[in-house]
Amino acid sequence: MNQHSSIKGRGSLIERATEIYDFNAALRGRAAPAVDPTDLPPAPAVTPPAAPAPAAFVADAPVAPTPFTPRAPDWTGPVQPIDRIKLAEAGFLRPDSAVTTMSEEFRLLKRDLLSQLRTNPRGNRILVCSAHSGEGKTFCAINLALSLAAEKDREILLVDADFGKPGIPAQLGLEGGRGLMDALADPLVAIEDCVIRTDMPSLSVLPAGQRSHDDTEYLASARTEQLLKRLTDGRPERIIIFDSPPLLAASPAAVLASHAAIALLVVRADKTSESALRDATGMLKGGAQVQLLLNAVRFNSGGRRFGSYYAKGEAQ
C-alpha cells in the first residue's frame, strides 16, 4: 500500500479549515473589499424580446401499436342435444345424475390433471390412449370430458381422433360431419366450423372427419400444430381431450402424443399385459407426460366407497 503523510493539527477538517480561512468574517460581510461604483463597467443595453413567432402545427407523435394477441374464435355451429338416456344405458356419467362411485373417481382424476396442466408449457391438451382396443380408452375419454365439463370456468373440446374407428358423436347421440381430418387435408376448411356444440355449454365435440391413408403424415405436419393453436390461442380455459387409436395397433396415437401435454394411458385390470404396457409406454417416450389410468378395477370392502356418503342425505 502507498504511504501518506499524516495531516498535522487537531480537530475536524472543518475546524482546521476555519483556522486558515476566516469564514466568520465572510459571513459578517468583511471578507471582500469595498467596490467603487465608478469602477463598474457600463450596463449592457437591453433589447426588448422579439414577438414570438406563430406556433407551427406539430402533428401528434405516433402511438406505438398494441401487440396483437391472437384469440381462438367462438364455436358457431348449431347446438345438438346429448342423449342422456343413451349415456346411461352405456354406463357413462350423466351430467344431471346423482354422485356415484365412478363420478367421484373421475373427480379425483380431473383434479390431478388440472393441477398438472396449470404449469405445463405444452398447453391444455390431454391424450387418452391404450395399448390395445377394448381396454376402455373411449369410455374413459368421454367420462373425463363430462366430468371436466362440470367445472364452472372451463370449456372442453372432445376430439374423436380414432380415425380408423370413430364413434364418439354416435355414443353421445350427436350427428357427425366434417372433422379434424377434413381441416388437416383441406386448408379451405375452417376447423372451428367443424366443432359440434352440445346442450352442455361447456362441452363441444370435434368429429374425426373423413378417413385417410395419410392420417399419420397429416398429424405430423406443421398444419396440425397451427390448427390446435387456432382452437386454443388466447383461451386458457379451453381443454382439448383426444381419443386416439390404440398405440400398438395404429401409428397416429404416438404422433398425437407429441402434441399433448399429458398422455393418459388406460390400463384394463386383469387384461392389459405387462409386455403390452411396456411397449405402449415406449412409444410415448419423448412426448407427453405419461400417466396411467387403471380401468375396470374392483375395490374391496375396506377400500374406497365413493358415492355412498352422498346417498345418506339429499344434496343441499
Side-chain angles (χ1 to χ4, degrees):
M1 296 178 61
N2 296 330
Q3 295 183 354
H4 301 276
S5 59
S6 60
I7 300 177
K8 296 181 180 181
R10 297 181 179 179
S12 66
L13 291 176
I14 296 177
E15 292 172 346
R16 293 200 296 271
T18 304
E19 297 176 359
I20 301 173
Y21 304 102
D22 191 359
F23 292 149
N24 293 327
L27 294 174
R28 292 192 298 270
R30 296 197 299 269
V35 179
D36 187 353
T38 59
D39 295 336
L40 295 176
V46 178
T47 304
F57 173 76
V58 179
D60 294 336
V63 179
T66 303
F68 173 72
T69 301
R71 180 174 172 83
D74 295 326
W75 317 135
T76 57
V79 176
Q80 298 187 31
I82 294 177
D83 191 336
R84 268 72 169 174
I85 297 177
K86 197 169 187 177
L87 284 180
E89 291 175 349
F92 292 105
L93 298 176
R94 286 187 54 178
D96 53 353
S97 66
V99 177
T100 63
T101 300
M102 187 171 66
S103 66
E104 284 290 86
E105 292 290 347
F106 277 97
R107 274 179 170 178
L108 293 176
L109 173 62
K110 73 175 178 181
R111 293 265 77 81
D112 182 49
L113 293 174
L114 288 173
S115 65
Q116 295 181 51
L117 290 175
R118 192 175 297 116
T119 57
N120 199 306
R122 283 175 171 250
N124 296 339
R125 305 172 190 170
I126 302 172
L127 174 70
V128 182
C129 55
S130 63
H132 297 292
S133 60
E135 294 176 332
K137 64 173 182 59
T138 300
F139 179 82
C140 292
I142 292 177
N143 282 327
L144 177 60
L146 291 169
S147 183
L148 282 168
E151 296 293 305
K152 304 306 180 185
D153 55 353
R154 295 287 181 176
E155 291 184 15
I156 311 303
L157 179 62
L158 178 57
V159 181
D160 191 351
D162 192 347
F163 305 106
K165 295 182 179 180
I168 285 182
Q171 295 199 56
L172 295 176
L174 306 174
E175 183 179 351
R178 294 188 303 178
L180 177 58
M181 192 53 60
D182 297 278
L184 287 174
D186 187 355
L188 298 179
V189 176
I191 192 168
E192 61 270 15
D193 293 341
C194 302
V195 175
I196 301 173
R197 294 192 296 163
T198 73
D199 56 350
M200 288 184 65
S202 55
L203 177 62
S204 301
V205 176
L206 178 61
Q210 65 178 348
R211 294 193 179 190
S212 172
H213 297 296
D214 300 323
D215 49 6
T216 301
E217 288 72 24
Y218 278 124
L219 291 173
S221 66
R223 178 164 172 76
T224 299
E225 187 64 26
Q226 294 172 358
L227 290 180
L228 294 180
K229 287 184 177 181
R230 182 168 177 80
L231 291 172
T232 57
D233 269 350
R235 302 272 192 166
E237 72 279 4
R238 282 185 179 174
I239 297 177
I240 299 181
I241 301 175
F242 299 96
D243 176 38
S244 79
L247 282 161
L248 303 183
S251 56
V255 180
L256 277 170
S258 65
H259 297 289
I262 298 175
L264 199 61
L265 180 55
V266 178
V267 180
R268 190 175 181 87
D270 301 325
K271 181 176 181 179
T272 307
S273 64
E274 181 179 350
S275 60
L277 181 59
R278 290 183 181 274
D279 291 342
T281 53
M283 296 185 69
L284 296 172
K285 286 183 177 179
Q289 178 182 347
V290 181
Q291 299 282 326
L292 299 182
L293 175 60
L294 187 60
N295 185 35
V297 65
R298 295 182 180 274
F299 295 106
N300 58 37
S301 58
R304 296 178 179 177
R305 299 186 63 185
F306 290 130
S308 59
Y309 176 81
Y310 292 89
K312 295 179 182 178
E314 296 182 358
Q316 299 297 320

